Amino acid sequence: MLQRLRGSLLRRPAATPPAAAIRCLSSGSADVRVPLNFWAGKRQTSSRKCNKENVYEPATVLSPSHICAGRVLCLLDPCGAAEVDQAVSAATSAFAHWSKMSGMERARIMIEAARIIERRREEIAEMEVVNNGKSITEARLDVDSGRLCVEYYAALASTLAGQHVQLPGGSFAYTRREPLGVCVGIGAWNYPFQIAAWKSAPALACGNSMVFKPSPVTPVTAVMLAEIYGEAGAPEGLLNVVQGGQETGSLLCRHPDVAKVSFTGSVPTGKKVMEMASEGVKPVTLELGGKSPLIIFQDSDLQNAVSGALMANFLSQGQVCSNGTRVFVQKDILPKFVEEVVRRTRAIEIGDPLLESTRMGALVNHPHLEKVLSFVDQAKKEGATVLCGGEAFVPSDPKLRGGYYMTPCVLGGCTDTMTCVKEEIFGPVMSVLSFETEEEVLRRANDTTMGLAAGVFTRDVKRAHRVVEHLKAGSCFINNYNITPVEVPFGGFKMSGIGRENGQVTVEYYSQLKTVFVEMGDVDSLF
């Protein structure tokens, strides 16, 4: 099935290098009819009478007359109530079988899925690039993260257990950790494959089935993951993929046969998901936005601090919810830090995301590019200084000149009241602020409604742990940033979300506890 997707969408000639094969596509050479919906073990076509939506490749231009359009990668077929019902029904049937399997049996299938992901790493990464715009280097790491997540939860599948409690008179109680049922995963466009794996792996390990809705902007690779689970031996309907936007998501959240919803995306949408799920008293996991602080003290290793700031701002073209976009630098080292961070930012190679040398690809679409650039314009109006970047970028390759590129931006002279400091930009824009004391920077760092992540650079171990203790954020980094091993829980405080992704604790968010009391004597009745 994966090979069919590759042949239909990429039309790769034999012995042609990957980047060249994808770039040589001309209008009409890709089969955009390949269905992107998947349930009951196969790709499905919606029966709805509605217009299909174009899915564009962010890095390319279709033709000189469509300079802002990009090449049409495929067509999105949004799902309505009938299609959602079919997908949930398929998941319900699969759950009946999957939930009765032992943890070891589930683990074997998940391990096989991980092996298939590893074997097909390059083709998944390439498809992620053409659909999302990030560099091939990052896409490979995202695929690796998805594979490792599947492996990690496969290992946990056979360890799920309850507790035995001895009670007086020989009576006892025990607990059972049981699956929830059909879970819904709703993904974001910045990490399409990785998010699908992060949500499906713990759900399946606990014995659940899942219906996953990718972002309509990046719908392709989640279907590949669903096919991989099937190829690995999972029952038909275990992981289903429905495409669509707000309407489809609403149908999933409100569906009476759905037991839990896990959403990654913006704070406003997360609130709506929580409200809809509450109608059925369904548990939710919400991984939402952030406006995270990165604090750099004067005793830091300067090169490491600069590297951390770059990793905290420019991964995936800055389109990362946990990014440390408020970079607080202690006053005494501010000039040296700014000089070095600007020098290294200017050296970032922008362009074709399928080239090994590229470190920054295209933003996800044209409206988002315009939005990010408008934040830079607003920052200038409010008194910030553009130290470098912040402009639309036109690659020299004519096939890429309509892509959604911009130069990574460093803003100096920022203050806490500026829009660029207060609001999530979700693009390659770093705001640099000065501070003098630890108490001051902690107060300013915590002055936000969000609390997804935070970071601190210092050689003082006591200070590092003291500062982290007082930072109001769910994921904190000391002398590094944006490191997300699957063994470690990831999630936020405050309006940045509820629940956690990854780590052993996530088992609790995809299972429920049943208590059983066993009386070994006579009933001591009051009546």
Side-chain angles (χ1 to χ4, degrees):
M1 297 294 283
L2 281 173
Q3 199 59 39
R4 183 184 73 184
L5 175 69
R6 190 184 190 81
S8 299
L9 286 182
L10 300 187
R11 297 293 190 204
R12 172 170 298 172
T16 303
I22 296 171
R23 290 286 171 252
C24 77
L25 284 170
S26 59
S27 179
S29 63
D31 185 355
V32 296
R33 297 167 298 177
V34 177
L36 295 175
N37 294 305
F38 184 94
W39 57 81
K42 62 182 179 180
R43 290 175 180 262
Q44 305 280 355
T45 302
S46 172
S47 60
R48 298 180 76 199
K49 292 183 178 179
C50 62
N51 294 327
K52 293 180 172 59
E53 301 170 9
N54 290 337
V55 178
Y56 297 103
E57 180 183 358
T60 64
V61 57
L62 178 63
S63 69
S65 61
H66 295 78
I67 196 68
C68 291
R71 182 175 70 84
V72 176
L73 179 64
C74 52
L75 296 179
L76 185 76
D77 197 5
C79 289
E83 290 74 29
V84 167
D85 282 344
Q86 291 172 37
V88 172
S89 177
T92 302
S93 296
F95 171 74
H97 174 63
W98 183 254
S99 61
K100 299 301 181 185
M101 295 170 64
S102 71
M104 286 292 286
E105 289 173 317
R106 294 197 294 265
R108 279 196 291 269
I109 291 173
M110 293 178 70
I111 287 293
E112 180 59 24
R115 290 195 185 107
I116 297 170
I117 293 171
E118 185 171 27
R119 186 170 71 244
R120 298 181 174 175
R121 178 192 192 223
E122 195 66 17
E123 69 175 289
I124 300 169
E126 288 170 10
M127 191 58 74
E128 196 84 323
V129 169
V130 298
N131 194 190
N132 170 273
K134 66 175 63 185
S135 72
I136 186 66
T137 302
E138 285 195 40
R140 290 185 186 119
L141 296 176
D142 295 351
V143 176
D144 290 344
S145 176
R147 171 183 58 81
L148 289 169
C149 188
V150 174
E151 288 182 354
Y152 177 76
Y153 285 105
L156 286 184
S158 62
T159 70
L160 305 181
Q163 181 184 20
H164 177 274
V165 181
Q166 191 66 46
L167 298 172
S171 296
F172 62 94
Y174 64 91
T175 59
R176 291 169 49 93
R177 187 161 291 282
E178 299 181 349
L180 298 168
V182 177
C183 298
V184 160
I186 301 177
W189 49 256
N190 55 342
Y191 286 90
F193 186 84
Q194 177 180 291
I195 291 175
W198 279 20
K199 292 189 185 301
S200 62
L204 302 191
C206 291
N208 304 287
S209 58
M210 175 166 276
V211 179
F212 186 81
K213 190 193 84 64
S215 164
V217 179
T218 53
V220 176
T221 51
V223 193
M224 300 172 79
L225 179 62
E227 291 178 328
I228 285 172
Y229 280 124
E231 186 180 341
E236 291 183 356
L238 188 64
L239 177 61
N240 310 273
V241 178
V242 296
Q243 305 289 353
Q246 182 177 343
E247 178 192 355
T248 309
S250 177
L251 289 166
L252 288 168
C253 292
R254 290 190 163 104
H255 199 286
D257 295 332
V258 166
K260 184 247 170 62
V261 180
S262 177
F263 170 78
T264 297
S266 68
V267 174
T269 306
K271 289 180 179 179
K272 293 177 182 177
V273 167
M274 192 172 185
E275 181 181 357
M276 290 184 288
S278 71
E279 296 172 8
V281 197
K282 299 169 186 174
V284 295
T285 294
L286 302 176
E287 198 271 275
L288 307 178
K291 193 64 186 175
S292 302
L294 174 59
I295 303 170
I296 298 173
F297 286 96
Q298 62 188 16
D299 67 337
S300 302
D301 179 295
L302 184 64
Q303 289 302 321
N304 274 336
V306 170
S307 294
L310 297 175
M311 290 291 288
N313 282 271
F314 299 143
L315 282 177
S316 293
Q317 296 76 252
Q319 299 165 145
V320 183
C321 52
S322 59
N323 270 359
T325 54
R326 295 184 293 146
V327 181
F328 293 93
V329 184
Q330 203 155 20
K331 186 176 181 181
D332 289 350
I333 62 166
L334 181 62
K336 289 182 179 179
F337 174 86
V338 167
E339 179 183 2
E340 184 63 11
V341 84
V342 167
R343 182 188 71 81
R344 290 178 59 179
T345 299
R346 284 176 173 156
I348 294 173
E349 185 162 343
I350 313 165
D352 188 344
L354 282 163
L355 296 180
E356 298 287 343
S357 58
T358 298
R359 287 297 172 266
M360 184 167 289
L363 274 70
V364 74
N365 57 34
H366 188 255
H368 187 64
L369 171 62
E370 290 297 310
K371 179 183 176 182
V372 175
L373 292 173
S374 72
F375 271 104
V376 177
D377 290 339
Q378 182 66 26
K380 290 189 286 187
K381 291 176 184 176
E382 294 179 6
T385 302
V386 177
L387 301 176
C388 67
E391 299 174 333
F393 178 79
V394 181
S396 57
D397 186 337
K399 294 187 293 295
L400 305 177
R401 288 183 182 176
Y404 317 127
Y405 300 92
M406 71 172 285
T407 51
C409 179
V410 178
L411 298 174
C414 296
T415 62
D416 295 343
T417 59
M418 290 180 177
T419 304
C420 62
V421 175
K422 294 170 65 177
E423 297 185 16
E424 187 175 30
I425 298 175
F426 221 63
V429 181
M430 178 192 304
S431 299
V432 180
L433 304 98
S434 175
F435 77 93
E436 295 190 17
T437 68
E438 180 180 319
E439 293 75 17
E440 169 208 344
V441 76
L442 275 170
R443 174 180 52 79
R444 294 168 63 193
N446 288 328
D447 186 19
T448 173
T449 59
M450 300 182 191
L452 185 53
V456 55
F457 274 80
T458 178
R459 287 190 173 98
D460 186 335
V461 175
K462 290 184 179 180
R463 174 196 282 160
H465 291 287
R466 183 173 65 242
V467 169
V468 162
E469 179 185 357
H470 290 94
L471 286 169
K472 306 301 182 185
S475 300
C476 295
F477 306 90
I478 295 176
N479 293 330
N480 211 326
Y481 206 92
N482 269 340
I483 306 301
T484 54
V486 297
E487 304 95 324
V488 179
F490 176 79
F493 288 0
K494 298 190 282 188
M495 293 182 73
S496 286
I498 295 172
R500 290 295 180 269
E501 309 263 24
N502 294 341
Q504 194 168 350
V505 69
T506 303
V507 166
E508 298 178 15
Y509 296 105
Y510 283 100
S511 62
Q512 54 195 344
L513 208 60
K514 176 183 288 182
T515 299
V516 180
F517 177 86
V518 181
E519 177 61 65
M520 298 299 288
D522 296 330
V523 175
D524 188 8
S525 175
L526 297 176
F527 306 99

